[in-house]
Amino acid sequence: MFTTRPELAGNFGMVASTHWLASATGMSVLEGGGNAFDAAVAAGFVLQVAEPHLNGPAGEVPILLWDEFAQKVSVVCGQGVAPGSATIDHVTGLGVEVMPGTGLLAATVPGAFGGWMLMLERWGTWSVAAVLEPAIHYAEHGVPTLDRISATIETVEQLFTDDWPTSAATWLPGGKVPAPGSRLTNPVLAATYRRIVAEAVGSTREAQIAAARDAWYRGFVAEAIAEFSTTTAWRDSSGEVHGGLLTGDDLASWSATVEEPLRFDYHGHTVCKTGPWGQGPAFLQQLALLSGYDLTAMGHLSADYIHTVIECAKLAFADREAWYGDAADVPMSDLLSDAYNAERRGLVGTRASFDLRPGSPGGGEPRLPDYPDPARLALASGLPGARGVGEPTVGSDGRVRGDTCHIDVVDRHGNMVSATPSGGWLQSSPTIPSLGFSLGTRAQMFWLQDGLPNSLRPGIRPRTTLSPSLALRDGKPWLAFGTPGGDQQDQWSVNFFLALVHGGGLNLQEAIDAPMFHSEHFPSSFYPRRSRPGVMHIENRIAAEVVAELRHRGHEVEPRDPWSLGRLSAVSRDGEFLRAAANPRGAQGYAAGR
């Protein structure tokens, strides 16, 4: 099949990401003697500068990694928690029906810095100064303004000028939207990271990392965040003015963690994902359902194939809605069991379903939230504070407007990393003027209703969409991959993985370049929680007769531009070689390696 670029192959190291500067940075670290973990950390900080509309210093990062020395897969959770005062009664007492998608009220503890530092400390070899140097350089000297950065800032220009002057001062240089291709700098952020480096003092590398972490969570960064959160108030997507809930105690009491992954075996492959505090298990549930079908016999991207994948996705994501959250009693064993999935498979018919149908794992009674009517929310009113809500992923017409970020690395030793940094977008909340970045709004994913796995509670993680992936083949590390895309992450990633397994020998680049599709059947994870039952988006490179057959089966197919869905990247250990590939859509993702 046609590919936009070659699959890379070599035996030294590979990096693939959503921005060429991050991929080049990661490769430079490998060339300089660093390992995959050092490279991913340095590249992750560069993404904050190169794609500020898609991730920022106060965002979050989940990471899956393979440690070649320990022969082990681990999850690093860089997802912060709800503040200690973030109760349902407190928030609804402010007159808020749904957690806003912008502003200070929806901020969780910034987890990205802690997640990157934990991986650097435990698995890396480089110093804090070394991994931050590339990001500091680009923040001081500038990066080329992407078309999407310019478009994002233009979208929220009035919000910045009318209501968020600190953001206008940072992102409207000279009072104007930066033009595509112009030089975009952030000297305040550069100064923040330079001070982090200056305070990262210790007799060992580990002591220096601990000092950097203290500066962020208990030192000058935490003090600035807490003061801004608790003493200022800003208009948000509710249309009203609210302050924040984050305090210094919230930051000081949080730390990133290392966890065991969830796993599922599929056709000789073991896919590893985060726990149900992310949506990653929905990938595994789709595999559990699809294991009962012969997708190879159906033919890759045939009408039977696409119908089956979409209908199984609807069932898996319905369970996400009813059962996932940062809770100890999520019945994952039942959700992935053979018996449960055999029963659920019986719901897949020859016609498209228009119902949201969560199951009853272990005999439990599913409970869905009371989904709000978007027409009642500020987004529909056209208020300036409603602009820029949610995750900048897929617009209401299904077109990619921007995403999160992703990076994959494999080194010559065999270590692998898959990371999906996000949040703290420049349009998420007002810029903290002394730090040069915005707080995230991940708490918008909580429900302000009691008794749900994802109900707002102090000190717990929101159920996010961020979903890096790592897979073993025949028990050996094989593939690190992922994509931006909010709710679409565990659809586009599934498409890619299934193309490798059932696509008749496609390589990484061919599987990424293959036409993508996804469902909008289930409610969005982001404000204002819109759903479009039965609607499927599909790149119009799919054969016309396939689209006609899908419509005949009842799917509301909305064709999209031929190269518009997904921003996947991947690296692999495959036989004699390391391999890599990256997404051509959007003209900014690249792989590098030798």
Side-chain angles (χ1 to χ4, degrees):
M1 62 171 287
F2 167 78
T3 60
T4 56
R5 56 186 75 166
E7 178 192 65
L8 304 186
N11 56 20
F12 179 80
M14 295 284 164
V15 185
S17 82
T18 50
H19 196 288
W20 68 87
L21 290 178
S23 298
T25 296
M27 197 63 205
S28 74
V29 172
L30 297 182
E31 297 282 6
N35 64 21
F37 313 112
D38 301 316
V41 174
F45 281 110
V46 166
L47 285 171
Q48 296 172 4
V49 181
E51 295 189 293
H53 59 314
L54 308 180
N55 79 139
E60 46 273 327
V61 61
I63 306 168
L64 273 94
L65 62 88
W66 169 264
D67 177 354
E68 180 67 10
F69 177 79
Q71 293 286 293
K72 181 177 174 57
V73 178
S74 295
V75 173
V76 174
C77 176
Q79 171 59 58
V81 299
S85 61
T87 65
I88 292 175
D89 286 346
H90 183 113
V91 176
T92 56
L94 300 174
V96 174
E97 174 189 0
V98 176
M99 189 67 85
T102 61
L104 299 183
L105 191 59
T108 54
V109 173
F113 190 85
W116 290 126
M117 288 296 108
L118 178 57
M119 184 167 71
L120 181 68
E121 176 184 50
R122 190 167 299 189
W123 288 279
T125 64
W126 277 29
S127 67
V128 173
V131 297
L132 282 176
E133 189 280 327
I136 292 171
H137 168 85
Y138 285 121
E140 283 186 335
H141 298 285
V143 296
T145 302
L146 298 169
D147 291 354
R148 286 169 177 77
I149 294 177
S150 180
T152 298
I153 296 174
E154 183 177 20
T155 299
V156 293
E157 179 183 11
Q158 184 182 346
L159 171 63
F160 285 4
T161 56
D162 291 354
D163 294 302
W164 295 3
T166 60
S167 295
T170 303
W171 301 109
L172 295 172
K176 298 180 180 179
V177 175
S182 63
R183 189 163 62 96
L184 185 69
T185 65
N186 191 340
V188 178
L189 177 59
T192 296
Y193 279 141
R194 282 203 180 280
R195 184 170 172 185
I196 290 282
V197 170
E199 296 192 12
V201 176
S203 59
T204 65
R205 191 183 69 90
E206 290 74 17
Q208 294 164 13
I209 293 170
R213 205 159 35 217
D214 282 344
W216 188 276
Y217 290 101
R218 285 165 283 278
F220 80 96
V221 174
E223 291 168 2
I225 289 174
E227 180 181 9
F228 192 78
S229 173
T230 58
T231 66
T232 70
W234 309 82
R235 191 175 308 281
D236 58 35
S237 55
S238 71
E240 303 298 327
V241 173
H242 296 111
L245 303 177
L246 267 181
T247 67
D249 288 343
D250 293 320
L251 278 88
S253 62
W254 181 84
S255 60
T257 55
V258 177
E259 304 175 2
E260 291 294 316
L262 287 176
R263 305 166 184 254
F264 188 81
D265 294 330
Y266 181 85
H267 289 260
H269 305 81
T270 302
V271 179
C272 303
K273 302 291 286 187
T274 72
W277 51 267
Q279 75 173 5
F283 188 119
L284 307 183
Q285 283 196 249
Q286 289 172 83
L287 295 186
L289 289 161
L290 292 168
S291 64
Y293 300 94
D294 190 345
L295 294 183
T296 300
M298 291 180 187
H300 183 231
L301 298 181
S302 68
D304 281 344
Y305 180 103
I306 294 172
H307 171 82
T308 303
V309 171
I310 286 286
E311 292 304 299
C312 288
K314 292 176 183 178
L315 295 175
F317 280 86
D319 279 342
R320 183 198 72 173
E321 291 296 290
W323 296 106
Y324 288 18
D326 188 9
D329 57 351
V330 178
M332 283 312 312
S333 294
D334 291 316
L335 289 167
L336 294 175
S337 69
D338 290 343
Y340 177 76
N341 284 283
E343 178 184 353
R344 295 282 281 166
R345 220 171 281 127
L347 298 176
V348 177
T350 58
R351 302 281 300 171
S353 169
F354 280 69
D355 298 320
L356 190 66
R357 299 178 291 178
S360 300
E365 184 66 28
R367 182 183 172 193
L368 292 170
D370 298 324
Y371 295 103
D373 178 0
R376 298 202 312 270
L377 302 177
L379 178 67
S381 72
L383 291 170
R387 298 189 178 120
V389 300
E391 184 174 31
T393 300
V394 177
S396 60
D397 61 359
R399 295 177 186 269
V400 175
R401 300 277 174 79
D403 306 289
T404 271
C405 303
H406 187 79
I407 184 166
D408 303 295
V409 186
V410 59
D411 65 25
R412 65 189 184 279
H413 310 294
N415 301 305
M416 302 182 79
V417 177
S418 175
T420 310
S422 185
W425 312 299
L426 67 87
Q427 69 274 28
S428 63
S429 64
T431 300
I432 302 173
S434 63
L435 298 177
F437 60 77
S438 307
L439 291 175
T441 55
R442 196 59 65 172
Q444 68 179 282
M445 310 183 89
F446 285 119
W447 289 104
L448 300 181
Q449 302 168 29
D450 285 319
L452 301 169
N454 195 33
S455 296
L456 177 65
R457 303 188 297 282
I460 71 161
R461 296 166 288 191
R463 195 278 299 150
T464 77
T465 56
L466 306 177
S467 194
S469 304
L470 197 145
L472 314 179
R473 185 164 62 187
D474 298 323
K476 298 179 180 179
W478 168 50
L479 183 69
F481 62 106
T483 179
D487 296 295
Q488 283 71 44
Q489 287 183 33
D490 284 301
Q491 297 188 74
W492 294 336
S493 289
V494 166
N495 289 351
F496 165 74
F497 177 79
L498 294 176
L500 292 175
V501 177
H502 299 290
L506 299 182
N507 67 31
L508 298 184
Q509 193 63 53
E510 290 168 336
I512 287 173
D513 284 356
M516 283 282 161
F517 59 91
H518 69 264
S519 172
E520 286 201 337
H521 175 84
F522 42 85
S524 169
S525 298
F526 298 91
Y527 182 102
R529 308 282 188 163
R530 184 179 186 226
S531 64
R532 305 182 69 203
V535 171
M536 173 198 305
H537 297 297
I538 194 164
E539 290 182 337
N540 65 13
R541 292 180 288 139
I542 293 283
E545 58 270 23
V546 170
V547 173
E549 176 59 24
L550 291 168
R551 286 177 170 150
H552 177 71
R553 297 185 186 199
H555 297 279
E556 295 195 6
V557 182
E558 297 185 357
R560 294 301 166 203
D561 290 342
W563 296 93
S564 60
L565 302 181
R567 285 181 67 203
L568 280 143
S569 64
V571 299
S572 73
R573 293 172 54 180
D574 187 10
E576 297 287 324
F577 293 107
L578 308 177
R579 303 179 187 274
N583 178 57
R585 300 164 179 88
Q588 67 186 65
Y590 274 89
R594 68 173 179 86

